[in-house]
Amino acid sequence: MSTPTITRKISTRESTTVTLLLIGVALAYLLLFLGLPLVAVFVEAFKKGWQLYWEALQEPDAWSAIKLTFIAAAIAVPANLVFGVSAAWAIAKFEFKGKSLLITLIDLPFAVSPVVSGLVYVLLFGAQGWFGPWLQAHDIKLLFAVPGIVLATIFVTFPFIARELIPLMQSQGKEEEEAAVSLGASGWQTFYKVTLPNIKWGLLYGVILCNARAMGEFGAVSVVSGHIRGLTNTMPLHVEILYNEYNFVAAFSIASLLALLAVVTLLIKALVEWQAKRSGEPLHHGA
Amino acid sequence: MKLSKLTTALTASALALVLSSNSFGADITLLNVSYDPTRELYQEYNNAFAKYWKAKTGDNVSVKASHGGSGKQARSIIDGLEADVATLALAADIDAVHDKANLIPADWQSRLKQNSSPYTSTIVLLVRKGNPKNIKDWSDLVKPGVAVITPNPKTSGGARWNYLAAWGYALKNNNNDQSKAQEFVSKLYVNVPVLDSGARGSTVTFSERGIGDVLITWENEAYLVKKEFGDDKFDIVFPSISILAEPPVAVIDKYVDKHGTRKVAEAYLEYLYSPEGQEIAAKNFYRPSDAKVAKKYEKQFKKLDLSITIDKTFGGWAKTQKAHFADGGVFDQIYTRK
């Protein structure tokens, strides 16, 4: 066994040309497929000036779409926060029968196409569906109304927080919790004082991703929405409608708002990552 | 638990809203579930009707609209989208609301004049300026190298009229030989590179995305494209013969009775037949049925041979729907063979 003599910072031995070429290709790819469309959205939105852009956002139907998007996210994200933390806690800290089944179920929304997730709700709660007649008899409107949109949003954003936390909690093991319990901490104290501080950055990261998807979801929401203007259109759905009405400035104005939300999300995400690194607490498993 | 409470609360408040508005006679909301190209028509008509109803009764009506492929919209009503009125592209889609969900009586189409179709339309061809592929008639659509844009007949009502217009043309030119007609239509669909789910989707594919040489579409949609994009981009080609398209309207009985909106919903549809309603239809390039308004807009609508009709040429929608567009029907055979 020879002692390593090379202490280069990079682990590969390609020439500078190859390195630069690879970086160039990656950058060009990013600009072409991510940068350019983003710029195009804003260019189209402001094509006819600030005035029209501003008016498009204040139009009542647009405003209702913006509100509905925030309502859906405001319900879906906390619901999945509670569920995600409980599921991750159960999976990472306890042994029980059916654990792998639970993990598989959590992954289901990732594996299923969003359109199918929407159709499942139509099959269950539609007027001709399993629970449709019962719901109608009790005058409860799920489909083609706000509750249906919230349900579909919860379904598609279901895995984000749990999936973020499970590997992190598993890698942390359960020694600290066991110590806490042996020192007389209650279950809630253990969670609040030991587990939560350990996972806070990962949790925040999961919430950000979950929120981004909740606001941007199109497929599943489209199936259950009914597309009633001013009532059941979320921002992504409203963008499509405006575009199909040749109202390009308004369509791209709403789209730019969505893009802006995405950019803000990414900034917060970067900030969280940076904070997590500084505090020395892991964000991901193995990070 | 939390969610079901929320749902109940939301429904209860929505219900309270509906009830209170009715008892005070102040604000009424109607939902019009319509097909794709009628967006501009009903936007204008809804305002006119609100004014008329306010003057007549003092009530404020706000009409909410939902647009999409006609078949898809019918499906949503069947699945529980609580439309007060359906204004769809063809009778078969409203028939489905009776057949599959029993929300309206079987004889719904005889409740209003002219088969419940306050306006009619037809199918024309839209080509790029100067007609570079020299398209004059239906027969030019089957030539190799001509890309034809038309939506999916399974989901779009306009697409079914397109399909039947081509079929009718082939029948007239082949001594009513059905197998020749099928051959013609399947050749036509070989030239279709993409099927959108609704007429508006196809229009955007053709006009905005620049795909295809010719768009088969509603007459009203063709005029609208010219209006939106300017006369210098597209030309309308009127074929030698086309189909008389009757887009019908209906009150959805079960839902208006549930909402207590029957009176206003019926008035909403009847007002379509009034001179004002007819005028708005004509302005939006739908052929008016009122003789006076038709006379006034005579110049706008080219005189066409519209002797292909769903009843005379095809024996009605029920039969046509089953033979051509149901699962395993002629369209499926044509399109999978491709």
Side-chain angles (χ1 to χ4, degrees):
Chain A
M1 272 228 314
S2 64
T3 49
T5 47
I6 303 158
T7 49
R8 278 176 56 175
K9 249 190 170 177
I10 34 176
S11 48
T12 53
R13 286 154 187 268
E14 278 88 9
S15 67
T16 344
T17 336
V18 174
T19 318
L20 283 178
L21 196 73
L22 283 175
I23 293 174
V25 167
L27 266 181
Y29 190 84
L30 277 177
L31 278 178
L32 195 64
F33 289 100
L34 290 174
L36 207 59
L38 196 64
V39 173
V41 166
F42 284 95
V43 168
E44 286 286 335
F46 290 113
K47 217 175 189 174
K48 303 212 172 133
W50 275 98
Q51 186 70 29
L52 275 176
Y53 178 82
W54 197 236
E55 274 170 25
L57 292 184
Q58 284 175 323
E59 203 263 329
D61 287 347
W63 188 230
S64 120
I66 294 169
K67 271 195 292 194
L68 181 57
T69 304
F70 279 95
I71 289 172
I75 299 174
V77 174
N80 280 331
L81 177 75
V82 172
F83 167 80
V85 172
S86 352
W89 163 274
I91 287 167
K93 311 285 178 186
F94 301 95
E95 293 303 324
F96 55 92
K97 262 194 184 156
K99 190 161 148 177
S100 57
L101 182 72
L102 181 61
I103 299 177
T104 314
L105 279 178
I106 290 172
D107 280 341
L108 190 68
F110 273 161
V112 170
S113 153
V115 175
V116 177
S117 342
L119 278 177
V120 166
Y121 283 106
V122 175
L123 285 179
L124 286 178
F125 304 123
Q128 316 298 316
W130 289 9
F131 304 110
W134 186 87
L135 289 171
Q136 277 198 328
H138 292 76
D139 210 8
I140 301 170
K141 252 203 225 171
L142 278 182
L143 272 194
F144 311 118
V146 177
I149 289 168
V150 172
L151 274 180
T153 308
I154 290 179
F155 185 86
V156 289
T157 56
F158 194 59
F160 283 90
I161 293 171
R163 261 287 151 215
E164 194 58 42
L165 291 182
I166 292 167
L168 177 64
M169 282 175 141
Q170 276 175 335
S171 73
Q172 285 171 350
K174 46 190 172 188
E175 291 82 4
E176 288 186 35
E177 278 84 358
E178 279 167 354
V181 172
S182 71
L183 290 172
S186 71
W188 178 246
Q189 280 175 319
T190 314
F191 174 74
Y192 196 71
K193 296 210 162 137
V194 179
T195 312
L196 196 59
N198 275 337
I199 60 165
K200 64 173 185 258
W201 294 116
L203 184 61
L204 202 56
Y205 191 81
V207 166
I208 291 166
L209 289 181
C210 181
N211 184 55
R213 179 66 188 269
M215 290 190 170
E217 176 57 22
F218 180 87
V221 170
S222 173
V223 176
V224 298
S225 141
H227 306 272
I228 309 168
R229 297 186 76 136
L231 277 183
T232 63
N233 280 323
T234 59
M235 284 161 74
L237 301 184
H238 198 58
V239 170
E240 197 210 16
I241 287 183
L242 290 170
Y243 184 79
N244 277 345
E245 284 170 8
Y246 311 109
N247 199 343
F248 300 124
V249 168
F252 283 104
S253 301
I254 310 285
S256 75
L257 210 59
L258 274 172
L260 211 64
L261 282 173
V263 171
V264 170
T265 305
L266 288 180
L267 282 180
I268 299 174
K269 190 182 135 244
L271 198 74
V272 167
E273 277 169 343
W274 178 68
Q275 277 290 337
K277 214 173 189 177
R278 230 175 46 142
S279 66
E281 282 157 22
L283 189 56
H284 305 290
H285 165 61
Chain B
M1 188 62 198
K2 196 176 147 198
L3 197 77
S4 70
K5 258 188 194 159
L6 184 86
T7 315
T8 328
L10 278 174
T11 336
S13 56
L15 199 73
L17 213 73
V18 171
L19 286 176
S20 66
S21 66
N22 277 353
S23 49
F24 294 108
D27 296 300
I28 308 166
T29 305
L30 281 186
L31 175 58
N32 177 2
V33 173
S34 195
Y35 62 111
D36 237 354
T38 55
R39 298 159 195 257
E40 292 75 14
L41 164 67
Y42 280 110
Q43 220 164 14
E44 197 177 341
Y45 178 73
N46 290 346
N47 290 331
F49 177 73
K51 259 192 215 142
Y52 158 78
W53 194 249
K54 175 90 184 162
K56 194 178 168 195
T57 64
D59 293 347
N60 297 309
V61 196
S62 124
V63 185
K64 299 278 179 200
S66 166
H67 296 274
S70 184
K72 190 178 131 211
Q73 293 293 80
R75 183 74 243 180
S76 291
I77 296 174
I78 292 163
D79 282 331
L81 180 60
E82 296 193 357
D84 296 287
V85 298
T87 54
L88 296 179
L90 46 88
D93 287 333
I94 303 188
D95 280 339
V97 174
H98 164 75
D99 297 343
K100 300 219 163 70
N102 205 18
L103 300 173
I104 51 173
D107 65 344
W108 64 269
Q109 207 172 1
S110 60
R111 293 192 295 191
L112 288 165
K113 281 181 286 179
Q114 289 126 20
N115 283 331
S116 291
S117 306
Y119 41 78
T120 61
S121 190
T122 186
I123 302 300
V124 299
L125 310 172
L126 190 72
V127 296
R128 303 197 183 280
K129 192 73 198 173
N131 199 356
K133 296 265 166 137
N134 198 23
I135 287 153
K136 294 267 165 60
D137 206 350
W138 293 103
S139 52
D140 296 314
L141 303 186
V142 300
K143 287 183 179 158
V146 174
V148 180
I149 303 298
T150 178
N152 185 351
K154 295 273 186 176
T155 51
S156 157
R160 271 170 275 174
W161 290 114
N162 295 352
Y163 171 105
L164 293 173
W167 192 286
Y169 164 85
L171 280 182
K172 297 258 163 171
N173 286 280
N174 290 294
N175 297 319
N176 284 324
D177 185 333
Q178 295 284 354
S179 63
K180 286 253 174 68
Q182 175 163 347
E183 197 182 311
F184 179 82
V185 173
S186 49
K187 258 166 123 186
L188 193 158
Y189 276 91
V190 170
N191 283 345
V192 178
V194 49
L195 290 174
D196 287 284
S197 71
R200 188 52 63 86
S202 283
T203 309
V204 170
T205 297
F206 181 74
S207 57
E208 183 66 10
R209 292 168 58 201
I211 296 175
D213 302 307
V214 52
L215 173 74
I216 314 179
T217 191
W218 295 97
E219 183 182 42
N220 49 280
E221 188 77 352
Y223 277 112
L224 184 72
V225 170
K226 280 181 72 108
K227 196 172 138 192
E228 290 289 337
F229 290 87
D231 276 336
D232 54 340
K233 293 233 171 71
F234 303 100
D235 287 328
I236 298 177
V237 173
F238 294 94
S240 62
I241 184 170
S242 195
I243 195 162
L244 175 72
E246 296 174 306
V249 300
V251 162
I252 306 298
D253 298 71
K254 205 166 163 193
Y255 292 139
V256 290
D257 288 342
K258 182 175 167 191
H259 304 158
T261 48
R262 177 177 284 277
K263 219 177 105 197
V264 56
E266 282 174 352
Y268 178 77
L269 294 186
E270 273 154 23
Y271 192 62
L272 279 168
Y273 291 89
S274 73
E276 292 85 352
Q278 291 285 298
E279 186 109 358
I280 292 171
K283 266 195 266 171
N284 284 280
F285 313 110
Y286 293 81
R287 294 182 176 230
S289 54
D290 181 274
K292 261 194 199 153
V293 180
K295 183 92 186 136
K296 186 177 166 192
Y297 284 85
E298 205 175 32
K299 280 203 187 120
Q300 182 180 307
F301 298 104
K302 203 173 150 68
K303 281 214 168 57
L304 285 174
D305 178 359
L306 297 182
S307 57
I308 307 171
T309 73
I310 186 68
D311 291 327
K312 273 190 290 170
T313 318
F314 297 97
W317 266 116
K319 193 179 152 202
T320 312
Q321 180 72 21
K322 205 170 156 211
H324 289 270
F325 307 115
D327 256 349
V330 177
F331 177 74
D332 277 347
Q333 293 162 29
I334 286 174
Y335 210 68
T336 43
R337 211 172 55 199
K338 183 190 157 182

